[in-house]
Amino acid sequence: MSTAMEGLLRFKQSGDFEDILRASHDLRGAMGFSELTTFSANDLLSLRRVYVTDYTQLLAAIDRLEDPAFVATDDRYRPRICFMPPREPNGHQAPPCADPNEITDPATRAAYVAALQANAERNRQIGEQRRLRGYEEEVTSEFQVLLKSFHWHVPDDTAALDAIVRGAGIRETKKAAILAMMTPS
């Protein structure tokens, strides 16, 4: 089983995004770049295809977890620290960030507590999406370094690599970026 697949398996069991990142680090570390010159061209082609498959599977796992609508710079996706509680029926208005116990009306307090819980979940999801974007950048960067190391030693096999990427189940925009990375510069 490849290093990336072991990392994906760890992630599926733990749900910890760090396992995807560790798998990427392990995968990159498994390749001794100085060894590239000792392999035959056919062995290098096979090895590169394995790495492309593994990295695209890591990126596909991240892709499935990402919310495509999430835009980190959009104000709608900024965490909210606190907000104004609802006004109580008696006219009392608690200040922003009030302790729910300061609200005397049970229905108003319950609505405020529910809103606080929903906001905490929203903030958790925003944080998760931001972490996923960072992990995606790091995995993509490691993938790019690996691809560049192969460019100097391996004959072109764009059609095979293209088929691997297209079959990985990744969104079109990410596929296009990966395919662009695989074009030697």
Side-chain angles (χ1 to χ4, degrees):
M1 178 183 284
S2 75
T3 303
M5 297 309 94
E6 290 170 8
L8 282 176
L9 183 59
R10 277 193 312 269
F11 164 71
K12 288 176 182 176
Q13 292 171 345
S14 70
D16 183 358
F17 300 140
E18 294 288 328
D19 285 330
I20 291 176
L21 200 57
R22 277 191 289 277
S24 177
H25 296 325
D26 292 347
L27 187 58
R28 187 174 54 107
M31 181 66 206
F33 295 117
S34 62
E35 298 169 4
L36 287 176
T37 57
T38 64
F39 288 108
S40 71
N42 284 337
D43 289 341
L44 285 172
L45 286 173
S46 297
L47 186 60
R48 180 169 61 184
R49 289 174 187 165
V50 168
Y51 275 100
V52 169
T53 299
D54 287 353
Y55 268 106
T56 55
Q57 288 188 20
L58 290 174
L59 290 167
I62 293 171
D63 199 48
R64 285 188 294 275
L65 297 168
E66 287 179 336
D67 176 359
F70 179 81
V71 178
T73 57
D74 189 328
D75 284 342
R76 294 175 300 163
Y77 297 107
R78 294 199 190 282
R80 287 185 293 209
I81 305 303
C82 60
F83 45 89
M84 186 73 74
R87 186 176 299 278
E88 294 184 62
N90 66 7
H92 176 259
Q93 176 67 61
C97 299
D99 182 325
N101 293 325
E102 293 178 24
I103 301 172
T104 56
D105 178 61
T108 305
R109 182 176 45 250
Y112 182 53
V113 167
L116 289 172
Q117 290 169 341
N119 186 57
E121 176 58 19
R122 177 184 174 276
N123 289 346
R124 186 197 65 74
Q125 290 173 356
I126 289 170
E128 185 175 282
Q129 290 301 311
R130 289 180 187 276
R131 277 192 314 279
L132 283 169
R133 294 315 187 277
Y135 293 165
E136 177 187 14
E137 286 177 21
E138 192 163 341
V139 170
T140 300
S141 176
E142 290 181 344
F143 186 25
Q144 193 167 24
V145 166
L146 182 114
L147 285 172
K148 284 185 180 189
S149 69
F150 276 101
H151 286 320
W152 305 108
H153 305 286
V154 183
D156 181 47
D157 66 338
T158 305
L161 299 177
D162 186 67
I164 291 168
V165 174
R166 292 194 186 284
I170 297 174
R171 282 192 304 268
E172 289 302 317
T173 53
K174 198 175 293 183
K175 264 190 235 176
I178 292 169
L179 291 171
M181 283 186 333
M182 291 192 305
T183 304
S185 52

